[in-house]
Amino acid sequence: MARAPNYGQERKERDRQKAAKKAEKLAAKAAAKERSKPEDETKPETETAE
């Protein structure tokens, strides 16, 4: 006999996967922002150092 589906557990698992994907996306976005940021910050620092 087949087991009854556990919809609550399946929903929690989907939500967990969705949250992990969203967090990964935000982390990638933040990393991209950090990579582009030093270029902008470096120019004023070199100008003030001169």
Side-chain angles (χ1 to χ4, degrees):
M1 191 168 164
R3 290 181 7 185
N6 187 349
Y7 294 116
Q9 182 64 30
E10 291 173 11
R11 182 179 178 88
K12 284 181 188 176
E13 181 63 22
R14 281 195 308 273
D15 289 347
R16 186 193 64 77
Q17 289 175 348
K18 189 176 181 181
K21 188 175 183 180
K22 186 174 184 180
E24 189 176 319
K25 220 175 205 182
L26 285 172
K29 190 175 183 181
K33 190 173 184 181
E34 284 297 316
R35 281 194 299 263
S36 66
K37 203 175 192 182
E39 295 173 4
D40 299 337
E41 289 178 357
T42 337
K43 292 176 184 174
E45 289 174 5
T46 54
E47 289 173 6
T48 56
E50 290 179 11

